[in-house]
Amino acid sequence: FPSHDITLIGANPRRTPWCAAFVNAILNRKGYKGTDSHTARSFSNYGIKVINPVKGDIVLIRSRVSPSVVHVGIFSEYKVINGVKHIGVLGGNQDNMVKVTYYPARSVITIRRPVA
């Protein structure tokens, strides 16, 4: 994230894990109230829980780094990779950039839908 984008996410990406700040910025731009938190776990009870996600739903996943670390992003799609179901997540702070990353579907903690 270029330094001028600090105002968009409300966090300095060099000092703060910014996945939740990115999701909050996207929600705010789409007219939804976010969690106003820089922690991914703040989305644990956000909106309503859904089983069958659609593009734009919020996904909490266990990080590849450690099961105690949580990551948050926006649902993109499901995809089978090498015979394993994966979930595509558009997120910030994925390799220090905004991009879609595929995580094993078994790493999903919850999927939440924003409500007006």
Side-chain angles (χ1 to χ4, degrees), residues 16-17 21 24 28 35 42 53 55 64 70 85 92 97 108 111:
T16 305
N24 275 306
N28 289 334
T35 64
S42 69
K55 283 187 177 183
R64 295 181 227 198
V70 177
K85 186 177 182 181
M97 64 181 80
V108 172
I111 301 172

Side-chain angles (χ1 to χ4, degrees), residues 92-112:
N93 205 24
Q94 295 181 164
D95 295 327
N96 204 29
M97 64 181 80
V98 174
K99 69 177 188 173
V100 174
T101 302
Y102 290 88
Y103 299 90
R106 69 180 178 274
S107 65
V108 172
I109 297 169
T110 188
I111 301 172
R112 314 297 297 188

Side-chain angles (χ1 to χ4, degrees), residues 3 5 11 13 15 17 21-22 37 47 75-76 86 98 101 106-107 112:
S3 60
D5 288 333
R15 294 190 196 125
F22 171 77
S37 173
F75 177 78
S76 172
H86 283 70
V98 174
T101 302
R106 69 180 178 274
S107 65
R112 314 297 297 188

Side-chain angles (χ1 to χ4, degrees), residues 1-14 18 96-98:
F1 249 78
S3 60
H4 68 275
D5 288 333
I6 290 173
T7 57
L8 171 68
I9 63 171
N12 183 333
R14 290 188 178 110
W18 50 278
N96 204 29
M97 64 181 80
V98 174

Side-chain angles (χ1 to χ4, degrees), residues 28-70:
N28 289 334
R29 286 223 168 162
K30 292 295 183 180
Y32 294 101
K33 173 124 175 72
T35 64
D36 295 327
S37 173
H38 290 161
T39 65
R41 287 187 193 279
S42 69
F43 286 93
S44 295
N45 295 308
Y46 177 80
I48 57 170
K49 184 176 181 173
V50 295
I51 303 300
N52 298 310
V54 297
K55 283 187 177 183
D57 286 343
I58 309 302
V59 180
L60 260 75
I61 57 170
R62 282 177 213 84
S63 170
R64 295 181 227 198
V65 177
S66 166
S68 65
V69 175
V70 177

